Amino acid sequence: MELPQTTSIPIEPLPVDSEGSKESIVQQFNEENPEESIDRLALAQLTDEELREKCETILTQRIKDGDKQAIFQLGQLYFELEQFDKALKYFEKAPETDMQSKYQMAVMYFDGIGLAKPNYKQALDYMKEVAACKLQSCRHLVHGAEYNIGRAYFQGYGVRTDYQEAERWWLLAADDGNPSSCVRAQSMLGMFYSRKDSLNLQKSAFWHSEACGNGNLESQGALGVMYMHGIGMKKNLESAFECLSEASQRGNVYAMGHMVAFYYHRKLYTKCVDMASRAAQLCNVEEIATETDCQANYVRKGISMACFYYARCLDKQLGIKNYKELAKQYYSKAYDYDPDVCALLQGIVTHGKI
């Protein structure tokens, strides 16, 4: 899996701990005000709107009483409610040492959330402040900030594009595969080392393996493909099937496309048609990419593969009745989702391998 420079790389969101949740806000209120406490039953009976209003009231009072942490918590409450103008107002009011607020402002400035346009330079400056923070209270933020700085260098956000700097920051964020580091950085390194300009397939396999072991869905699919074709590692069809099958079940569409191919080439046409027909019906690429945290261009490739193989099964009556006209529709759909994948597969057909 390559990482084209034009690809929109997702940002690493703020790793908010449980202390910022609405329930924890109420719990802290109960501990500080036992005579006015809200019991669990009453809390469960509150609607989302009533709980929001209660938290807003509690935090506003705590801010008036001089609680500086409550400033961030109220800003985060508004951020989660997508009231971004209010969120930014409170993040900006937070103390200079409040790195959670700076991290969240950087996220908003990077992606233009609640703003007329992004402010990459300011976002990068904030992230660098967070990454340089040595306080114990900042430790859970540092690797996420390092990943986002690498993202900025890779895509030229607020700074000149510099792939070596992107690599350096992502390596810091990945922290030798530590599960408590930024797992997204580990997966990104797997794709980075698959690029033509930074090609190192052994490193790519290593980082996808680390990310997969730490639960990353995209790397699990990539690792399955690498096992299947012996890319950067010894070919292992059993491991390929295990990775691709589980990744497909978890919603990785690129893995689904390769599972379809896996079944087809082993003449397991009924299984091929079953998975291909389901994957071929997928359509909202950006939504799927967001939900699965996978690259949208690889979601398209997965759908394109599924459509092509489904069309082939329809055309040749493999595991399904002959539907020539329907086959044409899915050949066309395969091309629409990814012309390169479609052309590659058509070339394989021409050589009699499909």
Side-chain angles (χ1 to χ4, degrees):
M1 292 179 71
E2 289 187 48
L3 184 62
Q5 197 273 336
T6 54
T7 297
S8 178
I9 300 173
I11 199 164
E12 179 73 1
L14 175 73
V16 183
D17 55 34
S18 61
E19 292 180 6
S21 68
K22 299 184 190 71
E23 291 75 12
S24 68
I25 292 169
V26 174
Q27 182 180 348
Q28 186 174 349
F29 172 80
N30 287 346
E31 292 170 356
E32 295 171 353
N33 304 273
E35 70 284 353
E36 301 178 42
S37 65
I38 307 170
D39 62 38
R40 288 182 178 274
L41 180 59
L43 181 61
Q45 291 175 341
L46 292 176
T47 65
D48 286 344
E49 180 65 19
E50 288 170 337
L51 180 58
R52 180 197 65 77
E53 290 179 357
K54 186 67 179 175
C55 290
E56 192 173 13
T57 300
I58 291 170
L59 291 173
T60 301
Q61 184 58 53
R62 280 165 56 181
I63 292 171
K64 288 179 181 177
D65 293 340
D67 184 343
K68 294 180 180 179
Q69 175 64 13
I71 300 173
F72 163 75
Q73 290 179 317
L74 185 55
Q76 185 62 20
L77 177 66
Y78 286 133
F79 185 89
E80 291 172 1
L81 293 169
E82 297 186 1
Q83 296 180 23
F84 299 121
D85 53 340
K86 289 184 178 181
L88 190 57
K89 171 186 171 183
Y90 280 95
F91 292 145
E92 289 174 340
K93 282 183 177 182
E96 183 66 20
T97 55
D98 185 345
M99 292 300 151
Q100 289 192 113
S101 290
K102 286 195 174 177
Y103 191 114
Q104 200 63 303
M105 282 193 290
V107 168
M108 297 178 76
Y109 284 137
F110 263 135
D111 287 354
I113 300 173
L115 305 169
K117 61 179 182 179
N119 184 337
Y120 299 131
K121 180 67 169 62
Q122 185 63 71
L124 184 58
D125 288 345
Y126 279 146
M127 281 297 178
K128 285 187 173 181
E129 279 191 61
V130 177
C133 183
K134 303 299 182 185
L135 298 174
Q136 181 70 22
S137 59
C138 297
R139 288 187 65 182
H140 69 296
L141 304 173
V142 170
H143 289 313
E146 290 167 341
Y147 163 83
N148 289 327
I149 295 167
R151 172 186 186 248
Y153 276 106
F154 187 84
Q155 301 205 289
Y157 287 168
V159 69
R160 180 178 295 178
T161 298
D162 188 327
Y163 298 136
Q164 287 187 333
E165 275 296 284
E167 178 187 15
R168 184 176 76 84
W169 283 102
W170 281 340
L171 284 168
L172 288 171
D175 192 25
D176 291 328
N178 189 333
S180 63
S181 67
C182 180
V183 177
R184 193 194 297 272
Q186 297 164 16
S187 181
M188 203 58 62
L189 284 167
M191 288 186 273
F192 179 82
Y193 290 122
S194 295
R195 296 174 64 251
K196 181 180 179 181
D197 294 337
S198 50
L199 188 65
N200 188 320
L201 294 177
Q202 286 73 32
K203 285 186 178 181
S204 177
F206 170 80
W207 283 111
H208 277 312
S209 181
E210 293 295 297
C212 176
N214 290 324
N216 185 275
L217 177 56
E218 185 145 61
S219 280
Q220 187 174 36
L223 196 61
V225 175
M226 297 181 88
Y227 273 125
M228 180 178 287
H229 299 288
I231 301 171
M233 59 176 63
K234 187 176 180 180
K235 187 174 182 178
N236 188 325
L237 293 181
E238 184 177 342
S239 294
F241 180 83
E242 184 179 337
C243 284
L244 292 173
S245 179
E246 186 173 333
S248 297
Q249 291 171 18
R250 294 173 63 198
N252 185 321
V253 179
Y254 186 62
M256 291 181 193
H258 281 277
M259 277 301 297
V260 167
F262 184 92
Y263 286 136
Y264 184 95
H265 290 289
R266 282 150 189 80
K267 296 182 169 53
L268 300 171
Y269 298 123
T270 301
K271 288 187 175 182
C272 175
V273 167
D274 178 59
M275 179 165 282
S277 62
R278 286 186 283 116
Q281 303 308 314
L282 300 174
C283 57
N284 196 330
V285 171
E286 296 300 330
E287 185 177 311
I288 294 169
T290 300
E291 289 177 355
T292 60
D293 199 18
C294 293
Q295 295 283 328
N297 57 320
Y298 282 97
V299 174
R300 292 189 187 92
K301 290 179 186 297
I303 297 175
S304 179
M305 289 181 70
C307 288
F308 193 96
Y309 279 101
Y310 187 41
R312 193 68 180 161
C313 288
L314 290 167
D315 196 11
K316 298 298 180 181
Q317 302 184 62
L318 302 173
I320 195 169
K321 291 181 179 179
N322 186 13
Y323 292 103
K324 293 265 183 196
E325 291 304 315
L326 189 58
K328 291 178 183 178
Q329 293 179 30
Y330 281 100
Y331 281 133
S332 178
K333 191 174 180 180
Y335 180 85
D336 290 342
Y337 272 101
D338 197 303
D340 292 338
V341 167
C342 191
L344 176 65
L345 293 173
Q346 185 56 53
I348 295 173
V349 169
T350 303
H351 288 88
K353 294 182 180 180
I354 296 183

